[in-house]
Amino acid sequence: MNRTALALSAAILAASGALGHAQERLNDVTLINTLNVLDESTRIDVAALRKKAVDSVAANRGPDRSLREPLSMELDNLSQVTVEVQFKTGSAVIRPESFRAIGVIADSLRHPTLLQYTFLIVGHTDAVGDRKSNLALSEKRAAAVRQALVTTFGIEPGRIQSVGLGEEQLQVRTLGGSSTNRRVQVVNIGRFK
């Protein structure tokens, strides 16, 4: 993860001691400044990334999660923010207190400096439970955030894609059950055409 994204992710997660605190501190200026950097040399093929995750689960890639390498080092090197979005347990239903965070994301994506970019919503789970179920749940959660941005907040659908990686790209591999691993990333993946 690049230094800016890592620092912002750490700050957002550190501020989230209890439910809802990260959303209170999240602001569009921080998001705009962080997401306004595009690495033209790195491209993310979302369909290929999704297939890698499915193949990783099917092949039971590295049952010891602490030794699993990330699916995509390129993804971690792009401009991104990690946002705390709360869901009902075991589902893709977004909790009402998280709609403020999604609204801040939407406000940021509407800012003139970000209108030229396309974004990827990446859903992650912790490593508790079945890997296949975690992958499916993360896909549904990422899609739910994308859907909220499009339908509730009016972001153009062509500017936002989503993918779920389940537990296949843990943030803290040595602590698979850590809540830090349950996260939603917003990643700048290129110019909007």
Side-chain angles (χ1 to χ4, degrees):
M1 189 178 294
N2 67 37
R3 288 186 193 132
T4 304
L6 185 58
L8 181 61
S9 295
I12 290 171
L13 290 171
S16 66
L19 281 178
H21 287 258
Q23 287 83 354
E24 291 171 19
R25 296 172 192 226
L26 188 64
N27 66 68
D28 58 345
V29 173
T30 304
L31 289 176
I32 292 163
N33 289 337
T34 303
L35 293 173
N36 193 27
V37 180
L38 178 64
D39 180 352
E40 296 281 359
S41 66
T42 304
R43 289 283 178 225
I44 296 294
D45 181 339
V46 178
L49 182 58
R50 184 175 289 115
K51 183 175 179 343
K52 270 177 126 174
V54 170
D55 291 348
S56 177
V57 170
N60 199 21
R61 179 182 70 102
D64 183 349
R65 65 183 170 265
S66 67
L67 300 176
R68 279 187 228 143
E69 289 300 317
L71 291 177
S72 173
M73 295 301 288
E74 297 83 11
L75 182 66
D76 282 346
N77 291 324
L78 292 171
S79 295
Q80 61 184 272
V81 293
T82 299
V83 181
E84 182 182 339
V85 177
Q86 298 293 321
F87 298 90
K88 289 189 178 178
T89 304
S91 83
V93 176
I94 300 168
R95 290 184 180 267
E97 61 267 23
S98 288
F99 274 91
R100 182 193 176 283
I102 296 172
V104 172
I105 295 167
D107 288 345
S108 301
L109 298 184
R110 277 194 214 94
H111 191 274
T113 57
L114 295 183
L115 282 174
Q116 62 184 316
Y117 298 120
T118 302
F119 297 90
L120 178 62
I121 307 298
V122 185
H124 300 271
T125 65
D126 58 27
V128 175
D130 176 69
R131 285 172 79 178
K132 188 173 182 177
S133 298
N134 284 341
L135 181 62
L137 180 60
S138 69
E139 184 72 38
K140 289 176 187 171
R141 286 179 170 179
V145 172
R146 179 191 181 277
Q147 188 67 18
L149 287 166
V150 169
T151 59
T152 305
F153 295 100
I155 300 298
E156 186 174 339
R159 291 186 59 216
I160 307 173
Q161 298 183 55
S162 65
V163 67
L165 298 182
E167 63 182 82
E168 302 307 301
Q169 191 146 331
L170 295 173
Q171 188 164 350
V172 183
R173 289 186 279 168
T174 56
L175 299 171
S178 171
S179 62
T180 302
N181 291 317
R182 294 188 301 266
R183 64 199 192 280
V184 172
Q185 294 171 285
V186 181
V187 184
N188 183 337
I189 59 170
R191 302 235 180 246
F192 181 58
K193 297 170 175 118

